[in-house]
Amino acid sequence: MNPEQLELTIGWLYPTLMSTYGDRGNVICLQQRAQWRGIKVNVMPLDRDAPTEQFHQVDVIVGGGAQDRQQEIVMRDLRQGKAEAIAQKIEAGTPGVFTCGSPQLLGHYYEPALGQRIEGLGLLDFVSKHPGPDARRCIGNVVFEITASRLAEDLRKMSEDAPLVIGFENHGGRTYLGEVEPLGRVISGYGNNGEDGMEGAFYRNAIATYSHGPLLPKNPSIADWLIQTALAEKYQTPISLKPLNDVLAMQGREAMFKKLGVKVPAVSAQRGPKN
Ligand code: GLN
C-alpha cells in the first residue's frame, strides 16, 4: 500500500497520570517514525475524560509508568468498561508497549509499597509486588536480549542488529511471571525482579517491560515493529516500511553497550533497519 493511504492512531494511556518517567518519548518516536514515512498519524490521549469508544479506535497502544497512587486512580477508571476495551484490543492483536506501572495493571494484581492491593486486568499471567517503602528500588541502565520467540524472529527479519534492548529501569515493584512468555533475558540490570533473570512479558502483540529509556528511540527496530504490526493488523495486508537513517541511534546504542561492557558484533551496532 502507498504510505499516503495509511493512517495510524496511537492511543496514549492516561498521559496526565502516567507520564512520570518520560515514557512520552515512546509516543513521539512512533509518531515521528511513521510521519517520516508519509503515514498520517493521530495521537489520541486516553485520559479519564476519554469515552470508552475511543479505546476501541486505536491501532497501537502506549502506556507509561506512574507512581503507585496514580496507578490506583487509573485502575479505578479502567473498571468503567475501559479495561474490557483494552483487553479486547490486545486479544485481537493490536500491538502495544506498556512500561513499568502500566504492565503492573495488566497482570493479576499489584501490591503497592503502602496500602491496598490493586486488582489488575488479569490479562497477562503475572503478579507484581512492592516489598515496601524501605526496600531498594531497581534503578539503572538495563540491557536485555529479546527471547519472546515471534518478536525475536520478526526483529531479525527487519534488522541485522542483535535483538538487544537498551533501556533504563526505575521501579520498586517486582514482577513474577506465571505462564506468560517473558519478553527477554537480562544481560545487565534487574529486569522483572532482580532474581530470575527475566525481563518483561510478551502476549499476543503486547510488549510489557520495565524498560523506560524511553525504550523506542533507543531501540528503533521495536518502534518499527510496532508501526508495521499495527498497520498490518488494521489493513489486513503485509506492510513494509522504508528504512530510515538511524546512524545516531545506532551510535548511541554502541556507546551504551560499551559503557555497560556488553559485547555485540561491531557491524550490528552500526546498521539501521533494512526493512
Ligand atoms: N509504582 C511502580 C513501582 O514502583 C511503577 C513505577 C514506574 O512506573 N516506574 O514499581
Side-chain angles (χ1 to χ4, degrees), residues 16-91:
T16 57
L17 291 164
M18 304 193 82
S19 292
T20 320
Y21 296 86
D23 297 309
R24 174 170 173 254
N26 286 343
V27 176
I28 297 170
C29 181
L30 286 177
Q31 179 180 21
Q32 192 58 67
R33 292 182 76 81
Q35 284 172 343
W36 275 331
R37 270 89 172 215
I39 299 163
K40 184 167 185 286
V41 179
N42 315 305
V43 176
M44 194 181 272
L46 299 170
D47 261 310
R48 271 180 295 179
D49 55 359
T52 305
E53 302 84 79
Q54 285 191 352
F55 282 69
H56 289 286
Q57 291 161 11
V58 304
D59 304 317
V60 56
I61 308 171
V62 181
Q67 290 164 297
D68 291 5
R69 171 87 186 103
Q70 279 69 24
Q71 283 179 235
E72 196 194 325
I73 300 169
V74 164
M75 203 57 226
R76 232 182 293 135
D77 191 61
L78 282 173
R79 289 206 190 93
Q80 322 292 323
K82 295 175 179 175
E84 285 76 33
I86 295 178
Q88 277 174 26
K89 294 297 285 186
I90 291 178
E91 290 292 357

Side-chain angles (χ1 to χ4, degrees), residues 21 65-68 71 100-101 104 110 130 137 170-173 212:
Y21 296 86
Q67 290 164 297
D68 291 5
Q71 283 179 235
C100 205
Q104 290 174 349
Y110 171 54
H130 196 302
R137 285 182 75 79
N170 182 356
H171 53 109
H212 301 286

Side-chain angles (χ1 to χ4, degrees), residues 159 163 174 202 217:
S159 163
R174 274 69 163 165
F202 185 66

Side-chain angles (χ1 to χ4, degrees), residues 119-148:
E119 295 300 327
L121 272 63
L123 191 60
L124 273 65
D125 188 13
F126 58 68
V127 300
S128 305
K129 303 174 192 188
H130 196 302
D134 298 331
R136 178 176 44 92
R137 285 182 75 79
C138 304
I139 303 181
N141 293 302
V142 58
V143 177
F144 61 93
E145 181 189 353
I146 302 256
T147 54

